[in-house]
Amino acid sequence: EDAGLIDGSSFMQPVEESKAREVGVLAVVGRPNVGKSTLVNRILGRRAAVVEDTPGVTRDRVSYDAEWTGTDFKLVDTGGWEADVEGIDSAIASQAQIAVELADAVIFVVDGQVGLTATDERIVKMLRSSGKPVIVAVNKIDDRISEYAAAEFWKLGLGEPHAISAMHGRGVGDLLDDALDALKRAERTSGFLTPSHLRRVALVGRPNVGKSSLLNQLAHAERSVVNDLAGTTRDPVDEIVSMDGEDWLFIDTAGIKRRMHKLSGAEYYSSLRTQAAIERSELALVLFDASQPISDQDLKVMSSAVDAGRAIVLVFNKWDLMDDFDRQRMERLWKTEFERVTWAQRVNLSAKTGWHTNRLTRAMNTALESWDKRIPTGKLNAFLGKIQAAHPHPLRGGKQPRILFATQASTRPPRFVIFATGFLEHGYRRYLERQLREEFGFEGTPIQISVNVRE
Ligand code: GDP
Ligand code: GDP
């Protein structure tokens, strides 16, 4: 089977199926050098080696699909960046805090060779107030003789300390058994506290593009707080925003409003938040500052939403600052940088003045309709038959791969499975995608096509 994609992007597993099996989000926190990354790599096994091979990659990848004895879960790594030396305490505390907020259960890693430190105790205070289940891992217990060192950590009051050696794998299995038990029992805060009838929107974009300004502009007085994070005193997570008489659930507005980018490790925080918000959303409003050059970070945020299979609307903000020259520059960029998402809708607006913000809901509704859309199998096959007759796949080694049958396996986003007599090359898949879009619309949603080869 060839599960390649028409647009060559690296899709994760089909969204609906992977979500169903996942039991929740597990965060690994602790002060620097206790062995968090080593533990995460140990848990992920071979895949982590790939991550290590590419310097810098660990910094943007903060949450991983992990599996233990047949159970799938998300693992959030907080070891990916170095806090700068001044302000180290507050940086560590907020790093851990964010990871914990987004998680359903936590592995708290301490260093058994060093013993309990003041920073550990500060983190514990935060963990307690979060109300999340915490499993203590006392790391660097490399042999049986050192196990006594773990006992000291009973006094944290977080239950039994698990003596482990992340480096050698010692005790990690038992730790995971307990952590996954806790995860299964935990109330899922990572996505299931929200009213289910509202469409979930992630407002994303690099710092300073105008996310909080847009939120304020849209909300006026009509903004209401949704969920208090289970038993904590922290900011509310999501808010209902009423636009043109229609209610939408904006994900993680606390994260948007908190001035994270003023802190050290800002990029790390925002990518962690962004990824989590996208995961919980159905639609991503991807904001750009149109008055500035489009940066790699801008495009990376956009790609995360597309790769996660979410409906998207591209929002070019700060249009009030644009002169003719800027507008021409933007049009040129649209043809180059945004080639991957020519199917997306684009709204130029000003969060500051409110100009054109009334155009958002139509674009959002259109994108979500596409995201939800299902093409009946009969119609799909009739159409592909026509397409194939008009433009057969090019000959490959004297053979001609033929499409036998196709079906839309799922929606949100639309995913098609094509059964063919041979491998369909990239160019032909792109052709099929274009034709599908031309015939059936799908404006605002990525679509996924996998090819199943039947010899
Ligand atoms: P992080 O900053 O918490 O992510 O810590 P790292 O995973 O980068 O580990 C910090 C240091 O501790 C590295 O030099 C690791 O090799 C070492 N280390 C991690 N786990 C163990 C362990 O189980 N035993 C020993 N002896 N050293 C370890
Ligand atoms: P965030 O970091 O993405 O939440 O961005 P903010 O909403 O904090 O905006 C960053 C800066 O851009 C602030 O100084 C805003 O006043 C400014 N800003 C946001 N939207 C607009 C806009 O539409 N026009 C202009 N001229 N400035 C804007």
Side-chain angles (χ1 to χ4, degrees):
E1 197 211 1
D2 163 30
L5 267 189
I6 224 171
D7 66 356
S9 62
S10 58
F11 246 93
M12 302 186 301
Q13 292 165 356
V15 174
E16 289 155 319
E17 289 150 41
S18 66
K19 279 267 136 58
R21 279 183 282 113
E22 244 164 42
V23 294
V25 179
L26 184 63
V28 178
V29 305
R31 57 182 182 77
N33 278 319
V34 292
K36 296 182 297 298
S37 306
T38 310
L39 178 60
V40 166
N41 287 348
R42 166 70 56 188
I43 295 171
L44 294 174
R46 217 187 310 156
R47 256 183 308 168
V50 179
V51 173
E52 279 175 326
D53 281 348
T54 320
V57 167
T58 43
R59 272 161 206 266
D60 343 311
R61 282 294 308 273
V62 288
S63 107
Y64 303 89
D65 293 321
E67 187 261 353
W68 175 245
T69 57
T71 305
D72 289 342
F73 60 103
K74 273 229 148 45
L75 188 65
V76 174
D77 178 10
T78 64
W81 61 279
E82 295 292 323
D84 46 23
V85 178
E86 58 190 278
I88 194 162
D89 280 351
S90 71
I92 293 161
S94 17
Q95 166 209 26
Q97 189 169 323
I98 290 162
V100 169
E101 248 180 52
L102 300 171
D104 301 300
V106 178
I107 293 181
F108 175 45
V109 186
V110 292
D111 188 328
Q113 291 181 359
V114 171
L116 194 55
T117 71
T119 309
D120 290 335
E121 296 195 60
R122 263 195 295 275
I123 297 176
V124 165
K125 222 177 257 170
M126 183 275 294
L127 289 175
R128 272 220 197 81
S129 71
S130 79
K132 300 285 166 77
V134 178
I135 313 292
V136 180
V138 184
N139 191 32
K140 309 194 187 178
I141 307 288
D142 298 335
D143 51 45
R144 202 183 176 88
I145 298 170
S146 325
E147 260 171 27
Y148 71 93
E152 181 193 7
F153 293 90
W154 272 107
K155 69 176 173 225
L156 293 176
L158 291 168
E160 186 192 348
H162 294 67
I164 66 163
S165 169
M167 193 178 258
H168 306 294
R170 204 168 174 276
V172 173
D174 289 345
L175 174 75
L176 277 178
D177 283 344
D178 286 357
L180 287 189
D181 275 350
L183 202 53
K184 285 173 190 161
R185 281 195 310 269
E187 194 183 336
R188 284 195 61 159
T189 53
S190 63
F192 291 87
L193 281 180
T194 50
S196 56
H197 62 289
L198 297 181
R199 305 292 329 229
R200 297 189 302 275
V201 181
L203 183 55
V204 296
R206 65 165 173 79
N208 281 319
V209 291
K211 296 181 295 299
S212 17
S213 304
L214 183 60
L215 191 63
N216 285 330
Q217 179 65 243
L218 294 175
H220 303 297
E222 301 192 86
R223 193 157 76 192
S224 52
V225 162
V226 183
N227 49 345
D228 273 328
L229 255 182
T232 69
T233 53
R234 261 178 255 304
D235 293 341
V237 181
D238 305 332
E239 289 179 37
I240 296 172
V241 176
S242 189
M243 296 159 72
D244 303 327
E246 202 178 339
D247 285 347
W248 301 81
L249 190 75
F250 276 64
I251 303 292
D252 189 26
T253 51
I256 293 169
K257 284 181 287 182
R258 203 177 291 170
R259 310 305 297 174
M260 272 309 163
H261 45 277
K262 304 272 173 350
L263 296 175
S264 63
E267 246 193 80
Y268 174 84
Y269 297 132
S270 58
S271 74
L272 182 58
R273 282 234 175 247
T274 301
Q275 204 176 325
I278 287 172
E279 243 147 56
R280 291 181 52 211
S281 74
E282 299 173 279
L283 175 132
L285 282 179
V286 186
L287 257 68
F288 300 88
D289 179 346
S291 70
Q292 297 290 320
I294 300 296
S295 70
D296 286 348
Q297 205 187 344
D298 286 315
L299 296 173
K300 201 151 40 176
V301 172
M302 180 177 78
S303 290
S304 326
V306 174
D307 292 343
R310 298 310 188 257
I312 62 171
V313 171
L314 306 179
V315 180
F316 291 95
N317 187 31
K318 309 200 188 180
W319 211 259
D320 57 297
L321 297 177
M322 307 280 281
D323 59 19
D324 280 347
F325 178 79
D326 291 324
R327 282 193 283 269
Q328 281 164 17
R329 175 182 55 83
M330 205 58 240
E331 289 314 316
R332 279 195 304 274
L333 278 179
W334 179 249
K335 298 211 177 82
T336 52
E337 302 295 337
F338 293 89
E339 215 205 342
R340 188 184 169 197
V341 290
T342 46
W343 41 263
Q345 304 167 91
R346 155 188 169 190
V347 178
N348 304 329
L349 55 71
S350 169
K352 191 174 177 185
T353 67
W355 182 79
H356 275 183
T357 48
N358 60 349
R359 298 204 169 171
L360 282 174
T361 48
R362 215 175 73 179
M364 290 157 76
N365 277 315
T366 303
L368 284 168
E369 275 162 32
S370 305
W371 196 62
D372 289 338
K373 181 163 14 198
R374 188 181 285 281
I375 310 299
T377 303
K379 216 167 152 185
L380 179 66
N381 283 286
F383 177 69
L384 287 176
K386 216 167 63 187
I387 289 300
Q388 195 174 211
H391 279 279
H393 193 285
L395 283 174
R396 274 164 47 103
K399 282 194 185 162
Q400 182 150 53
R402 260 183 329 111
I403 297 174
L404 299 170
F405 176 76
T407 184
Q408 182 173 347
S410 58
T411 59
R412 309 175 151 209
R415 187 169 67 93
F416 298 94
V417 179
I418 293 178
F419 296 87
T421 59
F423 178 78
L424 301 184
E425 61 188 40
H426 188 66
Y428 199 72
R429 292 167 186 228
R430 290 199 69 95
Y431 165 71
L432 289 179
E433 175 174 3
R434 278 198 306 275
Q435 295 301 318
L436 279 173
R437 287 187 179 281
E438 206 160 291
E439 177 76 6
F440 299 112
F442 295 121
E443 199 177 6
T445 182
I447 64 180
Q448 191 185 1
I449 299 181
S450 32
V451 177
N452 205 315
V453 176
R454 292 281 161 90
E455 297 296 347

